[in-house]
Amino acid sequence: KASSHKPWIETEYQGIVMENDNTVLLNPPLFALDKDAPLHYAGEICGFRVHNGPSGSGSVQFEAVVLDRSTGEGLVRSKEPLDCESQREHSFTIQAYDCGEGPDGVNSKKSHKATVHVRVNDVNEFSPVFVERRYEASVPEGRLFERIVRVEALDADCSPQYSQICFYDIITPNVPFAIDNDGNIKNTEPLDSKRQRVHTFWVTAFDCGKNRAQADAQVVVTVKPSCKPGWIGWTKRVEYTPGSGSIPLFPALHLETCEETVWNIQATVELQTGHIGKGCDRDSYSDRSVRRLCGAVRGEVDLLPPPSPTANWTSALPTLPSSDSSLVFSFNGSSHVAVVPESVVSALSGDHFTLQLWMRRGGANIQAASTQTRGNRKEEETIVCSTVKNDDSFSHYSLSVHGCRLSLFYWPDVSAARPVKFLWKLEQVCDSEWHHLSLSVQFPSVTLYVDGVTFDPALIHDNGALPNPAPRQRMSIGACWGKTLTDYMCVDPLVKYVGGYHGLLSGVTVRPGSVEPHSVVECLYACREGLDFGDLETLGSGMKVHVNPSQSVLVLEGDDIESFNRAVQQVTYRNSLRFATPGVRPLKLITSLRCFNEESCLSLKQLEGYLVVLQPDAPQISLSGVGPHLARPAPEFEGPRGVPLFPELRIVCSLSHAVNTAAQGMEGGALMSDAVAHTLDGCEVQPLGEELNPEKEELLVDMDVVRERGLEIINTTAYIAITGAESISVYEDVLRSVRYRLAKGSARFERRFRLSCSEMNGRYTSNELTLEVNFLHSLDSLYHPSHLLASQQQFLHPSHHAGELSGHTLPNPHRNSVIPGAATVIIMVCVGFLVVMVILGVFRIRSIHRRGEGSRSEAKEGGNQWDDSALTIIVNPMEGYTDTKQARAPTAKILKPIFSFIRKPNVTNR
């Protein structure tokens, strides 16, 4: 009967065959089925055909035979021995066919082709073989080593079970060495070169099938005499005297390698100055003064000024103390926001500007960079957010940080143009250290300087559905306003601020117009202290020196030990500040060696020390040339220009330092004072006692001189403060122009002023120069009733009598003038009463004489007239006196006995 069905087999088989066998064990077993069964021939399987696999081979090495034609059972076997090491995997296809319609196989049917994967299982036929027959090593004596030398053996078997080396063994007995399963040999006790200089022993290896190595390996360890490798001559403490310039840090340091051959040496010197000011020692002047010293273009606007009546938008921000005299503001990421007034923002228009600031992420309590999780904040933190009005449009920008990324979002025209985002990925943004950022925008060009180094941005055009910012002029520091409907209606709502900045900010300024040149930016950031290299011309061949921009890390690299030692001794510390910030700077030396024999190469530990900057000699700022008293006629003070207070002021700065007198044959020491050229940064003139009465008196300053020198002045009724880093001669000119003017009819007798100056933002102050100004009045004007009343009120005023009478000294009187002040009033009163007493005495004698000759009534009448005249002169001042407070008691004690003497019992007190 004709065959009508094809045989059927599985589509895929997995097979395993051992290296020492040719029968392949298939999974599932090989069976071919035919639906024509049990017909003879048509339902029987006559054979299997093997075809090439995907790689074109496989059929030559394998064959398939039929074990039972009726059941279709088959067997796959290899034609020749297989080698796992030469080929471990084999793939081919197999196809079954039935017997057709007769014994000759006419019209036989074929099955589909099935894929067979055969894996050759390994047999442990190879033994381990050592890579080298002999291993040598040299070690210094007296130390224990984790690894002296490493031996290695290989096994040619293909499977991990038999190709891996399971363990090594030292077959030489009684040696002070041990070997681990990785072939690392170490000593079990300190070696002594005197007892045994060379140790020789044998090791063997076993694979995981427990086959031992064909041949053992010999190990020779040479013990070298004691030698301690490392840096010799390290000094843990280094002292620096301010004003010394550059000093070598390691003048006697050299590296000992104990005859170890080294082909590369790298040493890293780290100077830690992060705790000194903002990362290092800088000029201790205000940010505005530093900009002047660096030659920056004027016109910058301070966005975070010190709180004052005219700049009150920073009064709610918490401040932190700073060692470099700058004002540091803290932002907590939520409630701390500074909203710049519109009057300030209106001066910042244009798409060309320079934004500069000091920043430190994380706030006051900052974790170390190693333990801090970087970039874990989901929200962008906004530093500056601003919308300014240009000629006929509004532009918007915001500077933000997100993780370790800094971004500038700029909208050239909020009504038309799409926003552009400039992005920088910076480690400095998230390392919790102080960094100086200078962003120069000259749209579409943007330049970023971080610590004086330029970084290029990645430009992103944001095509998202972003709402246009409201065309409204405003600016905020520490956050940005949220997007609300009221923003688009130009109403003043209670704005909700988002994207709060969490960290510290200082010196945030914007200067519209042309951008700052690179040299100015470098000067503003420049550290006055750091690491340096003495003489690059003496640097040996093959030596390299690298210093980072902040000069806190210096790297030396070379291949010759002698040249390297000479280079290390030329590493210096410099501090160009005359009055350097004293304190400790930790110092580290990290060394990395590379040897020809990496196994026994030296490993040097990190050396730690510290640099101590000593306290600098404090300068003495001396103010002189002004006497303790200044007496001028009162009309001169009432003139339109007043009277100069310090016309012959002299300011001298000097340094006192110890002098070695032993070389001059003198005992003990001495101090020498040298006059030096200094830069002052502030002087203050303050009236003592009560503040100035703006209706009657004022202090005048030549503003032309102040503006010409770029100084700043604060003139209030309590003081005049002149600030800005300038030379002594400039401050002398400005202070000599300070004048005091009185309004006409003020009738003052004296006024005291105090003058003081400082440098380095108050770090060093001058002596306090006190000046007493006396106003000389003529006798006619003095006895004018209004002047007499004013004098009496001034003398009896409670706010003056205690301070003005204490320590008062009288100046020499001038002709046709009187001595002003409280002492003058007392003398005048006493002299007046003395004259009155004489007159009263004369009248009293005449009264007694009349009483003896005339009638009693006439004597009484004459006595009453005498009493009335006396009382008419003296009672009115006493009535004013008795109404005063208890503070006038000393004057009352003087006047009371006088009135007790002249008063009669029978006279009525009027």
Side-chain angles (χ1 to χ4, degrees):
K1 194 173 183 180
S3 175
S4 59
H5 296 89
K6 295 180 180 180
W8 179 90
I9 59 177
E10 299 285 346
T11 58
E12 187 177 23
Y13 294 91
Q14 301 292 334
I16 299 175
V17 61
M18 302 298 293
E19 276 186 318
N20 56 359
D21 192 7
N22 65 342
T23 301
V24 178
L25 301 178
L26 294 181
N27 181 25
L30 181 59
F31 282 94
L33 303 179
D34 196 321
K35 290 185 178 181
D36 293 330
L39 295 178
H40 190 52
Y41 297 116
E44 295 178 349
I45 302 301
C46 277
F48 296 92
R49 290 190 179 93
V50 177
H51 303 277
N52 291 337
S55 59
S57 61
S59 62
V60 178
Q61 297 178 341
F62 294 91
E63 63 180 359
V65 296
V66 178
L67 300 181
D68 189 343
R69 295 175 60 177
S70 60
T71 61
E73 180 182 2
L75 174 68
V76 177
R77 60 191 178 191
S78 61
K79 298 179 181 179
E80 55 189 27
L82 301 177
D83 187 5
C84 175
E85 286 72 30
S86 59
Q87 185 175 353
R88 191 177 182 185
E89 300 286 343
H90 299 269
S91 296
F92 54 90
T93 58
I94 189 172
Q95 189 178 32
Y97 59 93
D98 57 18
C99 295
E101 299 176 356
D104 54 357
V106 179
N107 296 328
S108 65
K109 301 289 185 181
K110 300 177 183 179
S111 70
H112 61 273
K113 293 182 179 180
T115 303
V116 180
H117 301 282
V118 178
R119 185 182 65 191
V120 181
N121 277 1
D122 187 25
V123 176
N124 192 10
E125 55 186 327
F126 296 101
S127 298
V129 177
F130 281 97
V131 176
E132 298 181 16
R133 296 295 304 274
R134 179 184 175 93
Y135 293 88
E136 296 182 358
S138 298
V139 293
E141 63 180 354
R143 293 170 54 191
L144 292 175
F145 298 90
E146 289 297 326
R147 186 176 73 174
I148 297 176
V149 66
R150 182 176 182 270
V151 299
E152 184 180 9
L154 302 177
D155 195 303
D157 288 312
C158 68
S159 64
Q161 179 181 2
Y162 300 126
S163 63
Q164 291 185 356
I165 307 301
C166 276
F167 63 94
Y168 296 87
D169 189 20
I170 298 177
I171 59 178
T172 303
N174 302 325
V175 292
F177 298 95
I179 189 170
D180 60 15
N181 293 339
D182 295 327
N184 298 313
I185 298 176
K186 64 179 182 179
N187 57 325
T188 57
E189 62 184 44
L191 304 178
D192 189 356
S193 62
K194 297 179 180 179
R195 187 172 60 184
Q196 186 175 352
R197 180 69 183 274
V198 179
H199 294 266
T200 303
F201 53 92
W202 295 83
V203 297
T204 189
F206 293 87
D207 63 16
C208 294
K210 297 185 179 181
N211 277 359
R212 181 174 172 174
Q214 292 180 354
D216 301 328
Q218 185 184 38
V219 179
V220 179
V221 178
T222 303
V223 183
K224 297 185 295 185
S226 60
C227 175
K228 188 176 182 180
W231 290 103
I232 309 299
W234 169 262
T235 303
K236 189 173 184 180
R237 175 188 173 97
V238 180
E239 292 186 354
Y240 178 82
T241 302
S244 302
S246 297
I247 63 168
L249 293 176
F250 321 112
L253 190 65
H254 66 278
L255 180 62
E256 177 59 59
T257 60
C258 296
E259 301 180 357
E260 181 70 35
T261 304
V262 178
W263 66 271
N264 182 269
I265 312 171
Q266 181 174 313
T268 303
V269 183
E270 294 182 2
L271 181 68
Q272 299 179 14
T273 59
H275 60 289
I276 306 295
K278 295 187 181 74
C280 62
D281 209 358
R282 293 184 173 87
D283 286 316
S284 297
Y285 297 113
S286 63
D287 292 334
R288 191 178 296 272
S289 296
V290 172
R291 291 184 60 84
R292 290 185 60 254
L293 295 175
C294 291
V297 180
R298 298 179 183 178
E300 75 278 358
V301 178
D302 194 351
L303 301 182
L304 291 180
S308 65
T310 58
N312 58 359
W313 67 89
T314 59
S315 57
L317 297 178
T319 59
L320 298 178
S322 175
S323 58
D324 63 351
S325 73
S326 60
L327 198 58
V328 176
F329 293 91
S330 176
F331 294 82
N332 61 1
S334 56
S335 60
H336 295 163
V337 182
V339 181
V340 184
E342 186 174 353
S343 59
V344 177
V345 182
S346 60
L348 305 177
S349 61
D351 56 359
H352 291 188
F353 61 90
T354 299
L355 174 65
Q356 294 188 352
L357 56 95
W358 286 94
M359 67 170 292
R360 182 181 182 184
R361 292 281 299 282
N365 300 323
I366 302 175
Q367 300 177 355
S370 58
T371 60
Q372 182 182 0
T373 303
R374 299 182 175 182
N376 56 354
R377 293 182 63 88
K378 298 180 180 180
E379 189 180 62
E380 283 192 351
E381 302 177 28
T382 303
I383 301 176
V384 180
C385 190
S386 173
T387 300
V388 296
K389 184 178 181 180
N390 299 327
D391 295 334
D392 54 355
S393 63
F394 288 85
S395 62
H396 174 85
Y397 72 88
S398 63
L399 182 66
S400 307
V401 289
H402 187 197
C404 291
R405 289 176 172 84
L406 178 74
S407 62
L408 175 68
F409 188 80
Y410 192 79
W411 211 310
D413 187 350
V414 298
S415 62
R418 65 181 183 182
V420 179
K421 193 172 186 179
F422 300 88
L423 190 65
W424 296 268
K425 185 176 181 181
L426 304 168
E427 287 293 326
Q428 293 89 334
V429 176
C430 55
D431 63 357
S432 301
E433 298 290 343
W434 278 108
H435 294 284
H436 180 263
L437 272 64
S438 178
L439 192 66
S440 298
V441 178
Q442 201 167 4
F443 192 78
S445 174
V446 175
T447 305
L448 174 67
Y449 299 95
V450 180
D451 298 337
V453 180
T454 309
F455 290 89
D456 295 327
L459 187 61
I460 300 174
H461 290 277
D462 198 336
N463 296 321
L466 296 176
N468 292 22
R472 179 186 173 193
Q473 196 164 247
R474 51 185 170 176
M475 175 181 284
S476 61
I477 311 296
C480 196
W481 51 88
K483 305 297 186 296
T484 62
L485 289 177
T486 52
D487 289 338
Y488 307 99
M489 295 185 293
C490 298
V491 184
D492 290 330
L494 294 176
V495 181
K496 178 182 178 182
Y497 289 92
V498 296
Y501 172 73
H502 186 260
L504 306 179
L505 292 178
S506 178
V508 183
T509 62
V510 171
R511 187 184 61 79
S514 59
V515 299
E516 297 282 9
H518 191 194
S519 59
V520 173
V521 176
E522 287 182 338
C523 177
L524 293 174
Y525 165 73
C527 291
R528 303 304 180 188
E529 67 171 341
L531 300 173
D532 202 354
F533 192 80
D535 188 4
L536 292 175
E537 295 182 357
T538 62
L539 196 64
S541 60
M543 291 294 303
K544 299 179 182 179
V545 180
H546 173 73
V547 184
N548 69 334
S550 62
Q551 294 186 315
S552 60
V553 178
L554 184 145
V555 180
L556 285 175
E557 186 175 359
D559 51 12
D560 181 69
I561 295 180
E562 295 300 327
S563 299
F564 197 87
N565 286 336
R566 288 193 299 269
V568 168
Q569 295 173 5
Q570 295 190 51
V571 176
T572 62
Y573 169 79
R574 60 150 191 88
N575 195 320
S576 59
L577 293 178
R578 179 175 295 167
F579 307 110
T581 303
V584 176
R585 279 81 162 161
L587 196 63
K588 293 182 180 180
L589 177 60
I590 305 170
T591 310
S592 174
L593 303 179
R594 302 186 67 180
C595 310
F596 290 102
N597 185 3
E598 295 291 343
E599 304 298 334
S600 62
C601 196
L602 301 176
S603 177
L604 303 182
K605 66 178 182 178
Q606 173 180 299
L607 297 180
E608 296 183 358
Y610 53 92
L611 172 74
V612 180
V613 178
L614 302 179
Q615 186 75 29
D617 295 329
Q620 286 81 40
I621 308 174
S622 175
L623 307 180
S624 61
V626 178
H629 299 279
L630 176 64
R632 293 287 187 277
E636 293 187 16
F637 291 94
E638 296 173 355
R641 299 194 61 190
V643 175
L645 295 180
F646 317 106
E648 298 182 4
L649 175 68
R650 291 186 67 247
I651 305 177
V652 177
C653 289
S654 60
L655 284 176
S656 297
H657 55 88
V659 179
N660 185 11
T661 57
Q664 304 175 6
M666 301 172 59
E667 294 183 358
L671 290 178
M672 178 176 291
S673 182
D674 298 331
V676 293
H678 278 238
T679 300
L680 300 181
D681 59 10
C683 288
E684 182 177 285
V685 180
Q686 179 183 5
L688 299 180
E690 63 180 6
E691 296 183 2
L692 297 177
N693 187 347
E695 297 179 356
K696 297 183 179 181
E697 54 186 340
E698 63 178 336
L699 287 173
L700 306 176
V701 183
D702 190 346
M703 296 303 298
D704 293 335
V705 177
V706 175
R707 291 193 206 94
E708 181 183 355
R709 298 297 185 176
L711 299 177
E712 297 180 0
I713 185 170
I714 301 175
N715 193 348
T716 66
T717 59
Y719 63 90
I720 283 185
I722 304 169
T723 58
E726 261 299 348
S727 63
I728 291 178
S729 60
V730 171
Y731 270 92
E732 285 180 340
D733 293 341
V734 174
L735 292 175
R736 288 169 183 169
S737 69
V738 176
R739 296 172 173 268
Y740 178 69
R741 190 175 71 85
L742 275 175
K744 292 185 179 181
S746 298
R748 293 193 63 92
F749 287 96
E750 71 171 3
R751 170 62 94 170
R752 301 173 67 199
F753 295 95
R754 181 173 60 201
L755 171 64
S756 62
C757 295
S758 65
E759 67 172 318
M760 309 292 284
N761 266 0
R763 182 176 173 184
Y764 302 108
T765 58
S766 68
N767 60 310
E768 293 184 351
L769 189 64
T770 303
L771 175 66
E772 181 177 316
V773 180
N774 297 317
F775 313 105
L776 305 182
H777 300 270
S778 64
L779 289 174
D780 296 336
S781 63
L782 180 66
Y783 282 111
H784 192 276
S786 62
H787 286 193
L788 182 61
L789 179 60
S791 303
Q792 183 181 5
Q793 291 177 352
Q794 180 182 1
F795 168 67
L796 296 176
H797 199 282
S799 64
H800 279 155
H801 95 279
E804 294 181 350
L805 290 180
S806 59
H808 186 85
T809 57
L810 297 177
N812 294 328
H814 293 261
R815 183 178 299 179
N816 296 329
S817 64
V818 296
I819 302 174
T824 304
V825 177
I826 294 176
I827 295 174
M828 292 171 56
V829 172
C830 293
V831 172
F833 278 113
L834 181 60
V835 173
V836 172
M837 289 174 60
V838 173
I839 297 174
L840 292 179
V842 172
F843 275 96
R844 188 176 182 84
I845 294 173
R846 292 181 60 187
S847 176
I848 295 173
H849 181 70
R850 288 178 182 179
R851 188 166 44 192
E853 292 181 354
S855 64
R856 185 176 182 85
S857 60
E858 293 179 354
K860 184 176 180 180
E861 184 180 356
N864 288 337
Q865 293 177 355
W866 171 74
D867 286 340
D868 289 343
S869 63
L871 290 173
T872 300
I873 296 175
I874 64 174
V875 168
N876 284 339
M878 285 304 298
E879 287 177 355
Y881 165 75
T882 55
D883 292 335
T884 59
K885 297 181 180 180
Q886 190 177 0
R888 303 166 181 81
T891 308
K893 292 181 181 179
I894 298 174
L895 301 178
K896 185 175 182 181
I898 301 174
F899 283 93
S900 299
F901 174 80
I902 66 175
R903 182 175 297 170
K904 293 181 61 178
N906 59 347
V907 179
T908 302
N909 187 356
R910 299 173 56 188

